[in-house]
Amino acid sequence: MPPVTIRRAGPEHAADIRHLLAVQLGEHGIAIGGEALSAAIDGVIDVPKRGFFLVALREGACIGVAYVSFIWALEHGGHAGWLEELYVIPEHRDSGVGTQLLEGVISAATAADCAALDLEIDSGHERVRSLYERQGFTALPRGRVVKKLKPV
């Protein structure tokens, strides 16, 4: 199989990111309008202090994406990252692409001086837990709750 390149995404990757994240969010039952998703993606690409996207490229095709949002977390003593999305298209899973993306995320977050990376795993996607555990992530004894303040 041809090698995979992991790199920080720029405006030239926005359409691929939109497509992959629309699929990812749909798989998780998260409803977000196309305009809202595009605005959120563009808002990160245009303002790097908000976070970053990494893309996984194989023979020029975008086969995976990861998104980290920067947060200011008291429990981590300040600047931290929230790994909001990590997605690899199904036909490229189980070949190390997710591991390469995650290693790229950890490296980029470390370079951005993040004290920690947080993430959540949907209850229906427990098979990915071992990916994170192999990279040193540990489960916390709490759950996430949300209150939507405006529609997307």
Side-chain angles (χ1 to χ4, degrees), residues 67-69 71 75-76 80-86 102 105-106 116-122 125-126 128-133 135-140 142-144:
Y67 169 56
V68 172
S69 176
I71 61 173
E75 70 182 273
H76 299 310
W82 177 266
L83 177 54
E84 191 168 329
E85 302 296 337
L86 191 147
L102 185 55
V105 162
I106 293 167
L117 275 170
D118 287 286
L119 62 89
E120 67 183 6
I121 301 170
D122 281 359
H125 290 83
E126 289 297 317
V128 77
R129 182 176 298 279
S130 67
L131 168 66
Y132 297 114
E133 289 174 345
Q135 294 295 325
F137 287 80
T138 57
L140 298 176
R142 55 185 171 207
R144 182 176 179 201

PDB file of all heavy atoms in Angstrom, residues 67-69 71 75-76 80-86 102 105-106 116-122 125-126 128-133 135-140 142-144:
ATOM      1  N   TYR A  67      -9.056  16.891  14.127  1.00  0.00           N
ATOM      2  CA  TYR A  67      -9.263  18.292  14.527  1.00  0.00           C
ATOM      3  C   TYR A  67      -9.022  18.447  16.013  1.00  0.00           C
ATOM      4  O   TYR A  67      -9.596  17.726  16.830  1.00  0.00           O
ATOM      5  CB  TYR A  67     -10.679  18.765  14.187  1.00  0.00           C
ATOM      6  CG  TYR A  67     -10.992  20.099  14.816  1.00  0.00           C
ATOM      7  CD1 TYR A  67     -10.181  21.206  14.574  1.00  0.00           C
ATOM      8  CD2 TYR A  67     -12.065  20.255  15.683  1.00  0.00           C
ATOM      9  CE1 TYR A  67     -10.447  22.426  15.171  1.00  0.00           C
ATOM     10  CE2 TYR A  67     -12.335  21.466  16.280  1.00  0.00           C
ATOM     11  CZ  TYR A  67     -11.525  22.551  16.021  1.00  0.00           C
ATOM     12  OH  TYR A  67     -11.771  23.763  16.618  1.00  0.00           O
ATOM     13  N   VAL A  68      -8.169  19.404  16.355  1.00  0.00           N
ATOM     14  CA  VAL A  68      -7.902  19.755  17.748  1.00  0.00           C
ATOM     15  C   VAL A  68      -8.289  21.209  17.961  1.00  0.00           C
ATOM     16  O   VAL A  68      -7.844  22.096  17.234  1.00  0.00           O
ATOM     17  CB  VAL A  68      -6.409  19.560  18.113  1.00  0.00           C
ATOM     18  CG1 VAL A  68      -6.112  20.109  19.498  1.00  0.00           C
ATOM     19  CG2 VAL A  68      -6.040  18.086  18.025  1.00  0.00           C
ATOM     20  N   SER A  69      -9.125  21.439  18.945  1.00  0.00           N
ATOM     21  CA  SER A  69      -9.512  22.779  19.353  1.00  0.00           C
ATOM     22  C   SER A  69      -8.670  23.163  20.563  1.00  0.00           C
ATOM     23  O   SER A  69      -8.492  22.356  21.477  1.00  0.00           O
ATOM     24  CB  SER A  69     -10.992  22.791  19.737  1.00  0.00           C
ATOM     25  OG  SER A  69     -11.377  24.056  20.221  1.00  0.00           O
ATOM     26  N   ILE A  71      -8.098  24.984  24.025  1.00  0.00           N
ATOM     27  CA  ILE A  71      -8.916  25.422  25.159  1.00  0.00           C
ATOM     28  C   ILE A  71      -7.998  25.936  26.262  1.00  0.00           C
ATOM     29  O   ILE A  71      -6.788  25.673  26.259  1.00  0.00           O
ATOM     30  CB  ILE A  71      -9.815  24.282  25.691  1.00  0.00           C
ATOM     31  CG1 ILE A  71      -8.970  23.093  26.189  1.00  0.00           C
ATOM     32  CG2 ILE A  71     -10.789  23.828  24.625  1.00  0.00           C
ATOM     33  CD1 ILE A  71      -9.774  22.001  26.888  1.00  0.00           C
ATOM     34  N   GLU A  75      -7.998  22.539  34.919  1.00  0.00           N
ATOM     35  CA  GLU A  75      -7.476  21.275  35.437  1.00  0.00           C
ATOM     36  C   GLU A  75      -6.129  20.897  34.830  1.00  0.00           C
ATOM     37  O   GLU A  75      -5.429  20.050  35.357  1.00  0.00           O
ATOM     38  CB  GLU A  75      -8.488  20.147  35.258  1.00  0.00           C
ATOM     39  CG  GLU A  75      -8.708  19.711  33.837  1.00  0.00           C
ATOM     40  CD  GLU A  75      -9.763  18.634  33.729  1.00  0.00           C
ATOM     41  OE1 GLU A  75      -9.402  17.442  33.860  1.00  0.00           O
ATOM     42  OE2 GLU A  75     -10.940  18.980  33.521  1.00  0.00           O
ATOM     43  N   HIS A  76      -5.761  21.529  33.705  1.00  0.00           N
ATOM     44  CA  HIS A  76      -4.462  21.269  33.093  1.00  0.00           C
ATOM     45  C   HIS A  76      -3.511  22.455  33.252  1.00  0.00           C
ATOM     46  O   HIS A  76      -2.426  22.459  32.688  1.00  0.00           O
ATOM     47  CB  HIS A  76      -4.623  20.938  31.609  1.00  0.00           C
ATOM     48  CG  HIS A  76      -5.460  19.723  31.353  1.00  0.00           C
ATOM     49  ND1 HIS A  76      -5.243  18.510  31.987  1.00  0.00           N
ATOM     50  CD2 HIS A  76      -6.523  19.530  30.538  1.00  0.00           C
ATOM     51  CE1 HIS A  76      -6.139  17.635  31.568  1.00  0.00           C
ATOM     52  NE2 HIS A  76      -6.926  18.227  30.696  1.00  0.00           N
ATOM     53  N   ALA A  80      -4.484  23.881  26.561  1.00  0.00           N
ATOM     54  CA  ALA A  80      -4.647  22.447  26.319  1.00  0.00           C
ATOM     55  C   ALA A  80      -5.365  22.259  24.993  1.00  0.00           C
ATOM     56  O   ALA A  80      -5.820  23.219  24.374  1.00  0.00           O
ATOM     57  CB  ALA A  80      -5.441  21.800  27.460  1.00  0.00           C
ATOM     58  N   GLY A  81      -5.453  21.021  24.570  1.00  0.00           N
ATOM     59  CA  GLY A  81      -6.152  20.716  23.333  1.00  0.00           C
ATOM     60  C   GLY A  81      -7.297  19.766  23.571  1.00  0.00           C
ATOM     61  O   GLY A  81      -7.252  18.932  24.478  1.00  0.00           O
ATOM     62  N   TRP A  82      -8.331  19.922  22.766  1.00  0.00           N
ATOM     63  CA  TRP A  82      -9.463  19.012  22.788  1.00  0.00           C
ATOM     64  C   TRP A  82      -9.487  18.338  21.430  1.00  0.00           C
ATOM     65  O   TRP A  82      -9.732  18.982  20.407  1.00  0.00           O
ATOM     66  CB  TRP A  82     -10.756  19.780  23.046  1.00  0.00           C
ATOM     67  CG  TRP A  82     -11.972  18.900  23.018  1.00  0.00           C
ATOM     68  CD1 TRP A  82     -12.780  18.656  21.951  1.00  0.00           C
ATOM     69  CD2 TRP A  82     -12.500  18.128  24.091  1.00  0.00           C
ATOM     70  NE1 TRP A  82     -13.775  17.777  22.287  1.00  0.00           N
ATOM     71  CE2 TRP A  82     -13.632  17.444  23.605  1.00  0.00           C
ATOM     72  CE3 TRP A  82     -12.121  17.947  25.425  1.00  0.00           C
ATOM     73  CZ2 TRP A  82     -14.388  16.587  24.398  1.00  0.00           C
ATOM     74  CZ3 TRP A  82     -12.879  17.097  26.203  1.00  0.00           C
ATOM     75  CH2 TRP A  82     -13.993  16.427  25.697  1.00  0.00           C
ATOM     76  N   LEU A  83      -9.194  17.046  21.400  1.00  0.00           N
ATOM     77  CA  LEU A  83      -9.235  16.281  20.155  1.00  0.00           C
ATOM     78  C   LEU A  83     -10.700  15.975  19.864  1.00  0.00           C
ATOM     79  O   LEU A  83     -11.276  15.029  20.377  1.00  0.00           O
ATOM     80  CB  LEU A  83      -8.407  14.998  20.265  1.00  0.00           C
ATOM     81  CG  LEU A  83      -8.411  14.064  19.051  1.00  0.00           C
ATOM     82  CD1 LEU A  83      -8.019  14.781  17.767  1.00  0.00           C
ATOM     83  CD2 LEU A  83      -7.496  12.872  19.308  1.00  0.00           C
ATOM     84  N   GLU A  84     -11.287  16.832  19.049  1.00  0.00           N
ATOM     85  CA  GLU A  84     -12.717  16.746  18.803  1.00  0.00           C
ATOM     86  C   GLU A  84     -13.071  15.677  17.777  1.00  0.00           C
ATOM     87  O   GLU A  84     -14.085  15.005  17.910  1.00  0.00           O
ATOM     88  CB  GLU A  84     -13.237  18.110  18.341  1.00  0.00           C
ATOM     89  CG  GLU A  84     -14.721  18.197  18.313  1.00  0.00           C
ATOM     90  CD  GLU A  84     -15.240  19.594  18.148  1.00  0.00           C
ATOM     91  OE1 GLU A  84     -14.603  20.547  18.609  1.00  0.00           O
ATOM     92  OE2 GLU A  84     -16.310  19.732  17.544  1.00  0.00           O
ATOM     93  N   GLU A  85     -12.252  15.540  16.761  1.00  0.00           N
ATOM     94  CA  GLU A  85     -12.541  14.575  15.713  1.00  0.00           C
ATOM     95  C   GLU A  85     -11.257  13.899  15.236  1.00  0.00           C
ATOM     96  O   GLU A  85     -10.216  14.552  15.101  1.00  0.00           O
ATOM     97  CB  GLU A  85     -13.204  15.240  14.496  1.00  0.00           C
ATOM     98  CG  GLU A  85     -14.491  15.962  14.791  1.00  0.00           C
ATOM     99  CD  GLU A  85     -15.623  15.074  15.278  1.00  0.00           C
ATOM    100  OE1 GLU A  85     -15.604  13.848  15.013  1.00  0.00           O
ATOM    101  OE2 GLU A  85     -16.530  15.604  15.934  1.00  0.00           O
ATOM    102  N   LEU A  86     -11.346  12.606  14.987  1.00  0.00           N
ATOM    103  CA  LEU A  86     -10.304  11.852  14.308  1.00  0.00           C
ATOM    104  C   LEU A  86     -11.052  10.836  13.464  1.00  0.00           C
ATOM    105  O   LEU A  86     -11.776   9.995  14.001  1.00  0.00           O
ATOM    106  CB  LEU A  86      -9.358  11.167  15.281  1.00  0.00           C
ATOM    107  CG  LEU A  86      -8.103  10.582  14.626  1.00  0.00           C
ATOM    108  CD1 LEU A  86      -6.916  10.667  15.579  1.00  0.00           C
ATOM    109  CD2 LEU A  86      -8.290   9.169  14.148  1.00  0.00           C
ATOM    110  N   LEU A 102      -3.021  10.218  15.019  1.00  0.00           N
ATOM    111  CA  LEU A 102      -2.960  10.498  16.452  1.00  0.00           C
ATOM    112  C   LEU A 102      -1.553  10.907  16.871  1.00  0.00           C
ATOM    113  O   LEU A 102      -1.384  11.838  17.662  1.00  0.00           O
ATOM    114  CB  LEU A 102      -3.448   9.295  17.259  1.00  0.00           C
ATOM    115  CG  LEU A 102      -3.536   9.499  18.762  1.00  0.00           C
ATOM    116  CD1 LEU A 102      -4.392  10.704  19.127  1.00  0.00           C
ATOM    117  CD2 LEU A 102      -4.072   8.230  19.420  1.00  0.00           C
ATOM    118  N   VAL A 105      -1.150  14.415  15.851  1.00  0.00           N
ATOM    119  CA  VAL A 105      -1.887  15.297  16.767  1.00  0.00           C
ATOM    120  C   VAL A 105      -1.070  15.536  18.035  1.00  0.00           C
ATOM    121  O   VAL A 105      -0.919  16.674  18.491  1.00  0.00           O
ATOM    122  CB  VAL A 105      -3.269  14.695  17.107  1.00  0.00           C
ATOM    123  CG1 VAL A 105      -3.862  15.333  18.356  1.00  0.00           C
ATOM    124  CG2 VAL A 105      -4.215  14.832  15.929  1.00  0.00           C
ATOM    125  N   ILE A 106      -0.552  14.478  18.615  1.00  0.00           N
ATOM    126  CA  ILE A 106       0.230  14.605  19.851  1.00  0.00           C
ATOM    127  C   ILE A 106       1.453  15.479  19.604  1.00  0.00           C
ATOM    128  O   ILE A 106       1.767  16.370  20.403  1.00  0.00           O
ATOM    129  CB  ILE A 106       0.615  13.216  20.401  1.00  0.00           C
ATOM    130  CG1 ILE A 106      -0.643  12.473  20.862  1.00  0.00           C
ATOM    131  CG2 ILE A 106       1.633  13.331  21.525  1.00  0.00           C
ATOM    132  CD1 ILE A 106      -0.433  10.983  21.135  1.00  0.00           C
ATOM    133  N   ALA A 116      -2.007  19.238  27.867  1.00  0.00           N
ATOM    134  CA  ALA A 116      -2.721  17.959  27.818  1.00  0.00           C
ATOM    135  C   ALA A 116      -3.613  17.938  26.587  1.00  0.00           C
ATOM    136  O   ALA A 116      -3.876  18.975  25.976  1.00  0.00           O
ATOM    137  CB  ALA A 116      -3.570  17.775  29.075  1.00  0.00           C
ATOM    138  N   LEU A 117      -4.071  16.746  26.253  1.00  0.00           N
ATOM    139  CA  LEU A 117      -5.085  16.539  25.215  1.00  0.00           C
ATOM    140  C   LEU A 117      -6.252  15.794  25.842  1.00  0.00           C
ATOM    141  O   LEU A 117      -6.051  14.775  26.507  1.00  0.00           O
ATOM    142  CB  LEU A 117      -4.533  15.684  24.072  1.00  0.00           C
ATOM    143  CG  LEU A 117      -3.765  16.367  22.969  1.00  0.00           C
ATOM    144  CD1 LEU A 117      -3.102  15.324  22.067  1.00  0.00           C
ATOM    145  CD2 LEU A 117      -4.657  17.283  22.160  1.00  0.00           C
ATOM    146  N   ASP A 118      -7.445  16.296  25.651  1.00  0.00           N
ATOM    147  CA  ASP A 118      -8.661  15.630  26.091  1.00  0.00           C
ATOM    148  C   ASP A 118      -9.415  15.140  24.864  1.00  0.00           C
ATOM    149  O   ASP A 118      -9.281  15.711  23.777  1.00  0.00           O
ATOM    150  CB  ASP A 118      -9.572  16.604  26.859  1.00  0.00           C
ATOM    151  CG  ASP A 118      -9.052  16.941  28.232  1.00  0.00           C
ATOM    152  OD1 ASP A 118      -9.142  16.075  29.119  1.00  0.00           O
ATOM    153  OD2 ASP A 118      -8.569  18.072  28.433  1.00  0.00           O
ATOM    154  N   LEU A 119     -10.225  14.110  25.062  1.00  0.00           N
ATOM    155  CA  LEU A 119     -11.109  13.627  24.005  1.00  0.00           C
ATOM    156  C   LEU A 119     -12.213  12.824  24.643  1.00  0.00           C
ATOM    157  O   LEU A 119     -12.178  12.520  25.830  1.00  0.00           O
ATOM    158  CB  LEU A 119     -10.341  12.786  22.972  1.00  0.00           C
ATOM    159  CG  LEU A 119      -9.665  11.500  23.465  1.00  0.00           C
ATOM    160  CD1 LEU A 119     -10.589  10.297  23.400  1.00  0.00           C
ATOM    161  CD2 LEU A 119      -8.430  11.229  22.626  1.00  0.00           C
ATOM    162  N   GLU A 120     -13.213  12.506  23.832  1.00  0.00           N
ATOM    163  CA  GLU A 120     -14.275  11.614  24.295  1.00  0.00           C
ATOM    164  C   GLU A 120     -14.443  10.516  23.261  1.00  0.00           C
ATOM    165  O   GLU A 120     -14.095  10.685  22.089  1.00  0.00           O
ATOM    166  CB  GLU A 120     -15.589  12.363  24.483  1.00  0.00           C
ATOM    167  CG  GLU A 120     -16.195  12.878  23.207  1.00  0.00           C
ATOM    168  CD  GLU A 120     -17.465  13.688  23.421  1.00  0.00           C
ATOM    169  OE1 GLU A 120     -17.827  13.947  24.576  1.00  0.00           O
ATOM    170  OE2 GLU A 120     -18.091  14.053  22.427  1.00  0.00           O
ATOM    171  N   ILE A 121     -14.937   9.382  23.720  1.00  0.00           N
ATOM    172  CA  ILE A 121     -15.209   8.254  22.838  1.00  0.00           C
ATOM    173  C   ILE A 121     -16.692   7.949  22.963  1.00  0.00           C
ATOM    174  O   ILE A 121     -17.185   7.697  24.067  1.00  0.00           O
ATOM    175  CB  ILE A 121     -14.370   7.016  23.238  1.00  0.00           C
ATOM    176  CG1 ILE A 121     -12.880   7.328  23.170  1.00  0.00           C
ATOM    177  CG2 ILE A 121     -14.728   5.827  22.350  1.00  0.00           C
ATOM    178  CD1 ILE A 121     -11.993   6.249  23.765  1.00  0.00           C
ATOM    179  N   ASP A 122     -17.391   7.980  21.835  1.00  0.00           N
ATOM    180  CA  ASP A 122     -18.806   7.629  21.856  1.00  0.00           C
ATOM    181  C   ASP A 122     -18.966   6.199  22.340  1.00  0.00           C
ATOM    182  O   ASP A 122     -18.156   5.317  22.006  1.00  0.00           O
ATOM    183  CB  ASP A 122     -19.417   7.752  20.464  1.00  0.00           C
ATOM    184  CG  ASP A 122     -19.749   9.189  20.094  1.00  0.00           C
ATOM    185  OD1 ASP A 122     -19.519  10.095  20.909  1.00  0.00           O
ATOM    186  OD2 ASP A 122     -20.246   9.399  18.963  1.00  0.00           O
ATOM    187  N   HIS A 125     -18.515   3.381  19.930  1.00  0.00           N
ATOM    188  CA  HIS A 125     -17.238   3.283  19.223  1.00  0.00           C
ATOM    189  C   HIS A 125     -16.100   2.861  20.148  1.00  0.00           C
ATOM    190  O   HIS A 125     -14.993   3.379  20.084  1.00  0.00           O
ATOM    191  CB  HIS A 125     -16.907   4.614  18.544  1.00  0.00           C
ATOM    192  CG  HIS A 125     -17.794   4.904  17.390  1.00  0.00           C
ATOM    193  ND1 HIS A 125     -19.026   5.464  17.535  1.00  0.00           N
ATOM    194  CD2 HIS A 125     -17.628   4.669  16.065  1.00  0.00           C
ATOM    195  CE1 HIS A 125     -19.590   5.579  16.355  1.00  0.00           C
ATOM    196  NE2 HIS A 125     -18.774   5.107  15.444  1.00  0.00           N
ATOM    197  N   GLU A 126     -16.375   1.910  21.003  1.00  0.00           N
ATOM    198  CA  GLU A 126     -15.392   1.469  21.983  1.00  0.00           C
ATOM    199  C   GLU A 126     -14.163   0.807  21.342  1.00  0.00           C
ATOM    200  O   GLU A 126     -13.100   0.781  21.934  1.00  0.00           O
ATOM    201  CB  GLU A 126     -16.036   0.509  22.990  1.00  0.00           C
ATOM    202  CG  GLU A 126     -16.989   1.198  23.942  1.00  0.00           C
ATOM    203  CD  GLU A 126     -16.309   2.235  24.823  1.00  0.00           C
ATOM    204  OE1 GLU A 126     -15.215   1.973  25.346  1.00  0.00           O
ATOM    205  OE2 GLU A 126     -16.884   3.326  24.984  1.00  0.00           O
ATOM    206  N   VAL A 128     -12.217   1.865  19.259  1.00  0.00           N
ATOM    207  CA  VAL A 128     -11.133   2.828  19.055  1.00  0.00           C
ATOM    208  C   VAL A 128     -10.393   3.123  20.370  1.00  0.00           C
ATOM    209  O   VAL A 128      -9.314   3.680  20.370  1.00  0.00           O
ATOM    210  CB  VAL A 128     -11.680   4.120  18.402  1.00  0.00           C
ATOM    211  CG1 VAL A 128     -12.406   4.992  19.416  1.00  0.00           C
ATOM    212  CG2 VAL A 128     -10.587   4.897  17.725  1.00  0.00           C
ATOM    213  N   ARG A 129     -10.975   2.709  21.487  1.00  0.00           N
ATOM    214  CA  ARG A 129     -10.359   2.988  22.796  1.00  0.00           C
ATOM    215  C   ARG A 129      -8.911   2.494  22.857  1.00  0.00           C
ATOM    216  O   ARG A 129      -8.037   3.165  23.381  1.00  0.00           O
ATOM    217  CB  ARG A 129     -11.174   2.364  23.916  1.00  0.00           C
ATOM    218  CG  ARG A 129     -10.619   2.657  25.319  1.00  0.00           C
ATOM    219  CD  ARG A 129     -11.504   2.100  26.415  1.00  0.00           C
ATOM    220  NE  ARG A 129     -12.828   2.665  26.418  1.00  0.00           N
ATOM    221  CZ  ARG A 129     -13.148   3.855  26.956  1.00  0.00           C
ATOM    222  NH1 ARG A 129     -12.212   4.577  27.520  1.00  0.00           N
ATOM    223  NH2 ARG A 129     -14.384   4.283  26.923  1.00  0.00           N
ATOM    224  N   SER A 130      -8.614   1.326  22.298  1.00  0.00           N
ATOM    225  CA  SER A 130      -7.250   0.789  22.369  1.00  0.00           C
ATOM    226  C   SER A 130      -6.254   1.669  21.621  1.00  0.00           C
ATOM    227  O   SER A 130      -5.093   1.756  22.006  1.00  0.00           O
ATOM    228  CB  SER A 130      -7.194  -0.645  21.840  1.00  0.00           C
ATOM    229  OG  SER A 130      -7.467  -0.682  20.457  1.00  0.00           O
ATOM    230  N   LEU A 131      -6.697   2.335  20.551  1.00  0.00           N
ATOM    231  CA  LEU A 131      -5.828   3.278  19.833  1.00  0.00           C
ATOM    232  C   LEU A 131      -5.339   4.359  20.790  1.00  0.00           C
ATOM    233  O   LEU A 131      -4.141   4.653  20.860  1.00  0.00           O
ATOM    234  CB  LEU A 131      -6.575   3.907  18.656  1.00  0.00           C
ATOM    235  CG  LEU A 131      -5.908   5.112  17.984  1.00  0.00           C
ATOM    236  CD1 LEU A 131      -4.613   4.725  17.303  1.00  0.00           C
ATOM    237  CD2 LEU A 131      -6.874   5.764  16.991  1.00  0.00           C
ATOM    238  N   TYR A 132      -6.257   4.920  21.544  1.00  0.00           N
ATOM    239  CA  TYR A 132      -5.889   5.991  22.469  1.00  0.00           C
ATOM    240  C   TYR A 132      -5.085   5.465  23.658  1.00  0.00           C
ATOM    241  O   TYR A 132      -4.122   6.097  24.095  1.00  0.00           O
ATOM    242  CB  TYR A 132      -7.138   6.741  22.931  1.00  0.00           C
ATOM    243  CG  TYR A 132      -7.837   7.418  21.777  1.00  0.00           C
ATOM    244  CD1 TYR A 132      -9.092   7.020  21.357  1.00  0.00           C
ATOM    245  CD2 TYR A 132      -7.209   8.445  21.077  1.00  0.00           C
ATOM    246  CE1 TYR A 132      -9.719   7.630  20.283  1.00  0.00           C
ATOM    247  CE2 TYR A 132      -7.827   9.058  20.000  1.00  0.00           C
ATOM    248  CZ  TYR A 132      -9.076   8.648  19.611  1.00  0.00           C
ATOM    249  OH  TYR A 132      -9.678   9.254  18.542  1.00  0.00           O
ATOM    250  N   GLU A 133      -5.455   4.315  24.169  1.00  0.00           N
ATOM    251  CA  GLU A 133      -4.721   3.740  25.300  1.00  0.00           C
ATOM    252  C   GLU A 133      -3.278   3.432  24.927  1.00  0.00           C
ATOM    253  O   GLU A 133      -2.370   3.637  25.728  1.00  0.00           O
ATOM    254  CB  GLU A 133      -5.434   2.493  25.820  1.00  0.00           C
ATOM    255  CG  GLU A 133      -6.724   2.826  26.535  1.00  0.00           C
ATOM    256  CD  GLU A 133      -7.530   1.610  26.945  1.00  0.00           C
ATOM    257  OE1 GLU A 133      -7.253   0.491  26.446  1.00  0.00           O
ATOM    258  OE2 GLU A 133      -8.455   1.795  27.753  1.00  0.00           O
ATOM    259  N   GLN A 135      -1.457   5.081  23.069  1.00  0.00           N
ATOM    260  CA  GLN A 135      -0.721   6.349  23.034  1.00  0.00           C
ATOM    261  C   GLN A 135      -0.699   7.048  24.396  1.00  0.00           C
ATOM    262  O   GLN A 135      -0.292   8.200  24.490  1.00  0.00           O
ATOM    263  CB  GLN A 135      -1.334   7.282  21.977  1.00  0.00           C
ATOM    264  CG  GLN A 135      -1.180   6.761  20.558  1.00  0.00           C
ATOM    265  CD  GLN A 135       0.265   6.685  20.116  1.00  0.00           C
ATOM    266  OE1 GLN A 135       1.095   7.509  20.476  1.00  0.00           O
ATOM    267  NE2 GLN A 135       0.589   5.668  19.333  1.00  0.00           N
ATOM    268  N   GLY A 136      -1.148   6.363  25.443  1.00  0.00           N
ATOM    269  CA  GLY A 136      -1.023   6.887  26.799  1.00  0.00           C
ATOM    270  C   GLY A 136      -2.222   7.645  27.338  1.00  0.00           C
ATOM    271  O   GLY A 136      -2.146   8.230  28.417  1.00  0.00           O
ATOM    272  N   PHE A 137      -3.346   7.637  26.639  1.00  0.00           N
ATOM    273  CA  PHE A 137      -4.560   8.279  27.153  1.00  0.00           C
ATOM    274  C   PHE A 137      -5.169   7.379  28.223  1.00  0.00           C
ATOM    275  O   PHE A 137      -5.100   6.159  28.124  1.00  0.00           O
ATOM    276  CB  PHE A 137      -5.579   8.494  26.030  1.00  0.00           C
ATOM    277  CG  PHE A 137      -5.224   9.595  25.070  1.00  0.00           C
ATOM    278  CD1 PHE A 137      -4.304   9.379  24.053  1.00  0.00           C
ATOM    279  CD2 PHE A 137      -5.815  10.847  25.172  1.00  0.00           C
ATOM    280  CE1 PHE A 137      -3.980  10.373  23.159  1.00  0.00           C
ATOM    281  CE2 PHE A 137      -5.494  11.852  24.278  1.00  0.00           C
ATOM    282  CZ  PHE A 137      -4.574  11.627  23.275  1.00  0.00           C
ATOM    283  N   THR A 138      -5.755   7.995  29.247  1.00  0.00           N
ATOM    284  CA  THR A 138      -6.416   7.237  30.310  1.00  0.00           C
ATOM    285  C   THR A 138      -7.852   7.729  30.470  1.00  0.00           C
ATOM    286  O   THR A 138      -8.142   8.914  30.304  1.00  0.00           O
ATOM    287  CB  THR A 138      -5.690   7.396  31.663  1.00  0.00           C
ATOM    288  OG1 THR A 138      -5.606   8.783  32.000  1.00  0.00           O
ATOM    289  CG2 THR A 138      -4.288   6.820  31.602  1.00  0.00           C
ATOM    290  N   ALA A 139      -8.738   6.803  30.783  1.00  0.00           N
ATOM    291  CA  ALA A 139     -10.146   7.136  30.965  1.00  0.00           C
ATOM    292  C   ALA A 139     -10.347   7.893  32.266  1.00  0.00           C
ATOM    293  O   ALA A 139      -9.693   7.607  33.269  1.00  0.00           O
ATOM    294  CB  ALA A 139     -10.985   5.863  30.961  1.00  0.00           C
ATOM    295  N   LEU A 140     -11.268   8.837  32.241  1.00  0.00           N
ATOM    296  CA  LEU A 140     -11.644   9.585  33.437  1.00  0.00           C
ATOM    297  C   LEU A 140     -13.002   9.069  33.920  1.00  0.00           C
ATOM    298  O   LEU A 140     -13.823   8.645  33.109  1.00  0.00           O
ATOM    299  CB  LEU A 140     -11.740  11.082  33.129  1.00  0.00           C
ATOM    300  CG  LEU A 140     -10.450  11.748  32.677  1.00  0.00           C
ATOM    301  CD1 LEU A 140     -10.709  13.202  32.301  1.00  0.00           C
ATOM    302  CD2 LEU A 140      -9.389  11.660  33.753  1.00  0.00           C
ATOM    303  N   ARG A 142     -15.894  10.163  34.517  1.00  0.00           N
ATOM    304  CA  ARG A 142     -16.983  11.126  34.388  1.00  0.00           C
ATOM    305  C   ARG A 142     -17.510  11.084  32.964  1.00  0.00           C
ATOM    306  O   ARG A 142     -16.867  10.554  32.069  1.00  0.00           O
ATOM    307  CB  ARG A 142     -16.522  12.536  34.754  1.00  0.00           C
ATOM    308  CG  ARG A 142     -15.320  13.008  33.976  1.00  0.00           C
ATOM    309  CD  ARG A 142     -14.844  14.357  34.458  1.00  0.00           C
ATOM    310  NE  ARG A 142     -13.568  14.672  33.819  1.00  0.00           N
ATOM    311  CZ  ARG A 142     -12.661  15.443  34.325  1.00  0.00           C
ATOM    312  NH1 ARG A 142     -12.856  16.002  35.491  1.00  0.00           N
ATOM    313  NH2 ARG A 142     -11.554  15.694  33.686  1.00  0.00           N
ATOM    314  N   GLY A 143     -18.668  11.658  32.775  1.00  0.00           N
ATOM    315  CA  GLY A 143     -19.286  11.722  31.453  1.00  0.00           C
ATOM    316  C   GLY A 143     -19.443  13.161  31.024  1.00  0.00           C
ATOM    317  O   GLY A 143     -19.381  14.084  31.839  1.00  0.00           O
ATOM    318  N   ARG A 144     -19.675  13.334  29.757  1.00  0.00           N
ATOM    319  CA  ARG A 144     -19.839  14.673  29.202  1.00  0.00           C
ATOM    320  C   ARG A 144     -21.324  14.966  29.035  1.00  0.00           C
ATOM    321  O   ARG A 144     -22.091  14.095  28.649  1.00  0.00           O
ATOM    322  CB  ARG A 144     -19.140  14.745  27.846  1.00  0.00           C
ATOM    323  CG  ARG A 144     -19.200  16.097  27.205  1.00  0.00           C
ATOM    324  CD  ARG A 144     -18.409  16.115  25.918  1.00  0.00           C
ATOM    325  NE  ARG A 144     -18.500  17.427  25.305  1.00  0.00           N
ATOM    326  CZ  ARG A 144     -18.270  17.665  24.040  1.00  0.00           C
ATOM    327  NH1 ARG A 144     -17.897  16.687  23.239  1.00  0.00           N
ATOM    328  NH2 ARG A 144     -18.380  18.878  23.553  1.00  0.00           N
TER     329      ARG A 144
END
